[in-house]
Each structure stands twice: as C-alpha cells, then as structure tokens.
Amino acid sequence: MTDRNKNRREFIKISAIGGLALMSQTACASGDEEKNQSVASESTPLSIAVTKPIVVSTWNHGLDANKAAWEILSNDGSALDAVEQGVRVTESDADNMSVGLGGLPDRDGNVTLDACIMDHESNCGAVAFLQEIENPISVARKVMEDTPHVMLAGEGALAFAVEKGFKKTNLLTDKAKEAWQNWLNESEYEPVINSENHDTIGMLALDAEGNLAGACTTSGMAYKLHGRVGDSPIIGAGLFVDNEVGAACATGVGEAVIRTAGSAIVVELMRQGKSPQEACEEAVNRIIAKHKDLSNLQVGFIALDKNGAYGCHSVYAGFNIALRDNNNETMVDAQYEKEWD
Ligand code: ASP
C-alpha cells in the first residue's frame, strides 16, 4: 500500500475568498444525518476533508463491482480504469438479469445493451442497442479512445466491436429466456415498466490523483420495444462527469432521466454550490414535478464530488448504493420521496 493510501483522509487547505461558503457532505441521507460541513468566513483558511480514493455504485451488484474497482484505485490506478473494470464484473455475471450477459431481453427475445463511460478530461464514449457483446463498457471506451465520435449504435457498434477484437457471444441465458417466455404468456406483448424489470449499474470513482470518472451499463428495461434505448448510454442523462465539480449517474426509468437531463443537472446543481446529497434530491424532485403519472416511476441518482463527498436519492423507497473507500465497504440505503402504494 502506498503512503498516499495509508492516509485515509487527506486534508487540503484552501484560502477562503470573502463570503465563500463551502460544504462537503459524506452521508447519503437527507436531513440531519452525518455531515461534514465547513463554512469559511472571510480570509479564514479552510480545511476540507478529501476522501480519496473512493468508489460508489448502484444497487447490491455494486459490491462486487466495487471490489474490482478498488483493486485498481487502492494501487494508485486511475478512476477510468477502475470504473471500466468494476462494471465489467456485473456485465459478465450471468446471474445478473439487468446488465450484460444474462440480461432480460426485449419483447422479441433480443438482449440489447447500452453503456457509456466518461473521464476527467470530459472524454466520453458510448454504445447503444449493442447485441452479442458481453462487455459493452469496454466497447464504449474504445469508441472514446479510438474514434472521433462519442456514440455508436446497433449494427455499426457491433461491427466496430468485432473489428476491435471483441468476441460475439449469445447473451440470452436459459434463465433469461425462461423469464421472457413466461412474460410472453402473460403480457399480451405489451411493454411495461415495473420496479423489478430493470437495474443498471452506474459507477463513479475518485482516484488518488483526485480525478473523477464514471461508467454506466445496462440491458435496459426488460421486454422493451425492439430498438428502445434508455438513458444509460446518453452522456448527460445516465452519466455525467465534470472534473472541476463532480460526477453523477442514474438508474431507473430512463425515459424520465433523459427528459430531465438528469445526471448533467445533478452536476450543475453541485457546481452552483449544492452538496451531492442536495443535488440528487433536487433532481429527483424535478422528475416528480415533471411527471403526472408517477406509478412505477422509480429513478435514483448517485453523485460524487471532487472531495469524495457523495449523495444518493430516489423517487421511491428501495434504492441503495455500494460504497468503498479506505474506511468502508458497505451498502447505503438512499433516502427517498415516496413509499410504494
Ligand atoms: N436506466 C435504465 C434504462 O432505462 C434502467 C435502469 O437503470 O433501471 O434503460
């Protein structure tokens, strides 16, 4: 372990500019739970606790994904490598039915994947409606690094992946096929959204150098219309990183997240001085305000700022995030606005 990593928290000093108030929050909760707050008065030197490295990711599958990310972060690796390697674990987990291999298919039985990645220099890459490739996040990274584009979709994305050496794989496992066939019997071929038929992995990391990166990858809404693309591959919707400020990612009903430019809004709210927690709460409330029908409209946001402070919030109860830093390896329940009926 490096010296840097032995120091669990690194304190940086900055000079306060007259009237500037800075806040850092380390609890993923609204209200009065654990907060690290510092308010600078004029010409007072201000110490801000910086937690790094740190990785946060969505849902229970985030715990295993964080382990892979932590291997990299705790050895002074980059946030970009950490988030890519982290979410690959979930993509390759055949038992996980909402991401990558084993993901539930669209209503015609095709597993179609969406993913994006973004680094501390605002480089980004994405793939949408990609089939037959187990690790779309790594294809997204290739789009970012090896092309002048940000997003490739469908057949073009698949051809690009194959050209880059990715192997074609049948992503529809027996378990997912059986679930789809049961759905076909009951659904009358109508795509539906419910709280159980989706769950993206979104991951945000701050590395030992103080750089942020994020990744987001999903098989999207189960039994969706063929060709449907959600928020997860869309930079600014499913994921956004601005290294000057912070990073955010989303999970839940992608249409609502796209409609409100969710992750970009969370980052912009942090830029305006909101804590990561406050920014997630405001983005969730904006989604609530913009939608008349909230039934089954679950959305959750995670945010991580430059100081390693994080927040998370959701429309409905049940959202949780996985956290890993030098002190913790744990799940954190998000605060929420509504109870399920
Ligand atoms: N946001 C994803 C989508 O709409 C699904 C999820 O995160 O639950 O495709």
Side-chain angles (χ1 to χ4, degrees):
M1 191 179 277
T2 64
D3 284 342
R4 183 170 15 223
N5 291 325
K6 277 186 213 140
N7 295 329
R8 297 197 160 182
R9 278 172 186 258
E10 183 178 321
F11 286 83
I12 57 168
K13 296 231 176 213
I14 63 170
S15 293
I17 303 163
L20 178 69
L22 293 175
M23 286 190 273
S24 151
Q25 177 172 326
T26 56
C28 188
S30 61
D32 302 329
E33 297 199 23
E34 184 200 345
K35 285 185 181 177
N36 251 353
Q37 290 198 344
S38 311
V39 178
S41 59
E42 205 166 340
S43 74
T44 308
L46 175 68
S47 292
I48 300 175
V50 179
T51 302
K52 62 181 186 180
I54 180 170
V55 57
V56 284
S57 56
T58 52
W59 305 111
N60 289 327
H61 49 219
L63 274 181
D64 285 344
N66 284 2
K67 270 193 207 329
W70 189 252
E71 271 298 305
I72 293 167
L73 291 171
S74 59
N75 286 297
D76 271 358
S78 72
L80 181 65
D81 288 340
V83 296
E84 181 193 5
Q85 293 307 318
V87 302
R88 277 177 65 100
V89 170
T90 322
E91 288 180 336
S92 295
D93 178 357
D95 289 331
N96 182 309
M97 298 180 87
S98 55
V99 180
L101 175 68
L104 290 168
D106 65 18
R107 67 176 183 172
D108 299 309
N110 309 289
V111 181
T112 72
L113 305 178
D114 298 334
C116 72
I117 193 161
M118 190 162 190
D119 77 6
H120 64 289
E121 292 177 322
S122 299
N123 298 308
C124 47
V127 288
F129 189 52
L130 175 64
Q131 299 180 58
E132 297 182 277
I133 299 291
E134 187 172 317
N135 295 117
I137 198 67
S138 295
V139 185
R141 184 165 177 180
K142 288 277 182 217
V143 173
M144 172 174 105
E145 290 179 341
D146 295 0
T147 83
H149 308 306
V150 165
M151 185 186 286
L152 294 178
E155 280 177 21
L158 176 58
F160 171 78
V162 170
E163 188 186 307
K164 290 289 168 187
F166 291 86
K167 297 271 171 297
K168 282 189 174 186
T169 314
N170 174 18
L171 300 175
L172 186 65
T173 57
D174 291 345
K175 191 167 118 186
K177 191 171 177 183
E178 197 184 319
W180 167 62
Q181 282 166 341
N182 289 338
W183 175 82
L184 276 180
N185 289 336
E186 291 157 17
S187 68
E188 295 169 357
Y189 201 55
E190 278 299 313
V192 280
I193 287 170
N194 66 42
S195 60
E196 278 123 38
N197 71 2
H198 52 90
D199 275 353
T200 298
I201 182 151
M203 178 179 279
L204 308 171
L206 177 69
D207 64 27
E209 293 290 321
N211 288 322
L212 289 159
C216 189
T217 176
T218 192
S219 51
M221 290 288 162
Y223 320 130
K224 59 199 173 187
L225 288 172
H226 186 57
R228 182 263 188 190
V229 171
D231 60 317
S232 304
I234 299 178
I235 297 295
L239 174 71
F240 196 65
V241 178
D242 184 328
N243 210 47
E244 287 170 20
V245 179
C249 63
T251 180
V253 178
E255 286 75 2
V257 178
I258 296 171
R259 212 171 271 131
T260 52
S263 294
I265 288 297
V266 172
V267 172
E268 287 311 299
L269 288 166
M270 289 194 284
R271 192 193 308 279
Q272 290 166 22
K274 303 253 186 246
S275 70
Q277 182 62 31
E278 291 165 340
C280 290
E281 285 172 22
E282 187 162 335
V284 162
N285 280 306
R286 199 169 296 187
I287 284 182
I288 290 171
K290 297 281 178 199
H291 291 85
K292 290 190 185 78
D293 180 6
L294 291 171
S295 51
N296 278 315
L297 205 155
Q298 173 65 310
V299 171
F301 288 106
I302 307 186
L304 180 65
D305 76 9
K306 278 295 283 176
N307 300 320
Y310 65 90
C312 56
H313 204 70
S314 56
V315 177
Y316 285 101
F319 178 44
N320 58 4
I321 70 165
L323 160 72
R324 182 82 198 251
D325 64 14
N326 277 305
N327 298 317
N328 305 292
E329 181 177 9
T330 188
M331 295 301 302
V332 179
D333 288 331
Q335 299 290 305
Y336 51 88
E337 297 297 322
K338 295 185 170 298
E339 295 282 358
W340 295 101
D341 287 338

